[in-house]
Amino acid sequence: MIIINHKKPSIMKLIYSALFVTLLFASCKSKSDSAANEAFEKNSKTVLAYLEGVQKEKIDYSSFSKDFKSLNTWYGAKDTISLEEFKIGDSKALKNFNFKLLDSVPVFLPGVNSLTKIVDGSVRIYSTWEISTEKTDSTEAKSGRLKMYESYDFDADGKILYQQGYGDFSGLMNYLTSK
């Protein structure tokens, strides 16, 4: 005759097992969250330095990856531009307009990987800019406010790899350049 032991595991064993598994997952998540939060803090400073460079008309592009791309969100423009095209666009904009960030500290938010939806150290930012032209012999000085949402993704070396910005650029530029 075969005897089968139907002894049930004790409630305490189940509780300890569940607690162990929970702690195991929590510790793994904490390490990745911690690393992502540290990267976010560092990357936010990189973005802020770029924005300050725009205001001072002295941009340091050493924080940009050589593989940088920017999503071009202007109406009728090609989809993405390279770092060289980005620099040319910045140069033209700085030559014709003055940029002032109106937020003493912009709202920085941690971004997530678009595929995994996991916080990854990327930076999202909400800001308000005052963009103006100077008075000339034939035109009055003009200014307007532009509310922006931007996102910045970074490569493994902490350099800006991808940037996109949303705001009514075309509308503001049409206003500022109209006579």
Side-chain angles (χ1 to χ4, degrees), residues 131-157:
I131 303 172
S132 58
T133 61
E134 293 183 13
K135 181 180 183 202
T136 67
D137 292 339
S138 59
T139 62
E140 292 297 317
K142 288 185 178 180
S143 70
R145 290 183 178 197
L146 179 64
K147 291 189 180 288
M148 293 283 304
Y149 167 79
E150 294 179 275
S151 72
Y152 294 83
D153 295 344
F154 293 78
D155 66 13
D157 296 324

Side-chain angles (χ1 to χ4, degrees), residues 66-106:
K66 64 180 177 52
D67 298 320
F68 171 84
K69 296 284 182 222
S70 178
L71 178 67
N72 207 341
T73 58
W74 288 58
Y75 176 76
K78 70 180 190 172
D79 285 347
T80 59
I81 58 175
S82 68
L83 181 56
E84 288 308 311
E85 292 167 314
F86 189 75
K87 288 178 182 180
I88 291 168
D90 279 353
S91 176
K92 286 179 182 177
L94 293 174
K95 181 179 175 187
N96 295 307
F97 305 102
N98 297 314
F99 293 84
K100 180 181 178 186
L101 188 58
L102 296 179
D103 311 293
S104 57
V105 177

Side-chain angles (χ1 to χ4, degrees), residues 15-57:
I15 291 172
Y16 285 134
S17 296
L19 182 60
F20 174 76
V21 169
T22 302
L23 289 174
L24 179 67
F25 284 118
S27 68
C28 293
K29 187 172 182 335
S30 295
K31 288 178 185 174
S32 65
D33 284 354
S34 177
N37 287 335
E38 288 174 17
F40 169 73
E41 291 299 325
K42 178 181 174 278
N43 294 340
S44 293
K45 290 176 184 172
T46 300
V47 171
L48 188 56
Y50 167 70
L51 300 178
E52 289 171 349
V54 170
Q55 292 180 94
K56 294 176 183 173
E57 298 183 12

Side-chain angles (χ1 to χ4, degrees), residues 111-120:
V112 298
N113 178 289
S114 63
L115 300 175
T116 66
K117 310 299 186 239
I118 296 173
V119 175
D120 63 359

